[in-house]
Amino acid sequence: MLSTSGRVFTNAVFGPVARWLVRAGVSPDAVTVTGTVLTVGVALWLLPLGHFVAGPLAITVVVLIDSVDGLMARTLGRSTRWGAFLDSTLDRVSDAAIFSGILLWGVRAGETWVLVTSLVCLVLGSVVPYAKARAEGLGMTASGGIAERADRLFVALAAVLAVGLGAPVPVLVVALGLLALASLYTTGQRMAAVHRQTRADAGETA
């Protein structure tokens, strides 16, 4: 749901920006790389220092702007496999930077549970998309689940912002813990989906 809402929002707000960039001769790949560099820079600069209002707000803006590359590709009518690969790969870099920023703050602040839960989210946040990519590489599907990328980022950034606005740190710990469980469950969902497909294929072959 969050992913769909995000796409509707970005289409309405950033559609004109995408068309302007296309007319200016900017490539979608350049926007993808720029968005990733900005996300990594902001996440690893503001979050470890505890700027929990400016940090999540700035990251949200950059992540939304980063979606312009897809709008540009559709405007040009040339969504390429390279563009999809680049976007997906750099998304993992951006996600890792965000959770690493939270983790580093946990280290600086001596908040052990923030460190632990953000580390688990960092690891599982890579496993969820890997399960999908590996399944597709084997000719199967493993999409969906309760913790897709937009959902993970929304929960993490909302919890960070809440702490920045005065909520106690355990709010962030609980949010990251629930996010870790949701990511683990999503991984299980995708593994189960692939298992069902392999069993069906085996039955057809037999």
Side-chain angles (χ1 to χ4, degrees), residues 165-185:
L165 293 174
V169 173
V171 169
L172 177 58
V173 174
V174 170
L176 292 175
L178 291 175
L179 185 55
L181 290 174
S183 297
L184 184 61
Y185 183 73

Side-chain angles (χ1 to χ4, degrees), residues 84-183:
F85 171 81
L86 179 67
D87 188 59
S88 180
T89 301
L90 294 186
D91 279 350
R92 306 288 79 75
V93 175
S94 296
D95 295 356
I98 292 169
F99 286 103
S100 294
I102 299 172
L103 186 156
L104 290 173
W105 177 81
V107 173
R108 286 172 52 89
E111 294 288 351
T112 303
W113 282 109
V114 172
L115 189 162
V116 171
T117 52
S118 58
L119 177 60
V120 175
C121 287
L122 176 62
V123 173
L124 292 178
S126 298
V127 175
V128 170
Y130 173 80
K132 176 182 178 181
R134 183 58 177 152
E136 291 175 347
L138 295 171
M140 293 175 284
T141 58
S143 58
I146 62 173
E148 296 193 13
R149 181 177 188 251
D151 306 309
R152 295 195 301 271
L153 292 184
F154 176 82
V155 171
L157 293 176
V160 170
L161 180 61
V163 173
L165 293 174
V169 173
V171 169
L172 177 58
V173 174
V174 170
L176 292 175
L178 291 175
L179 185 55
L181 290 174
S183 297

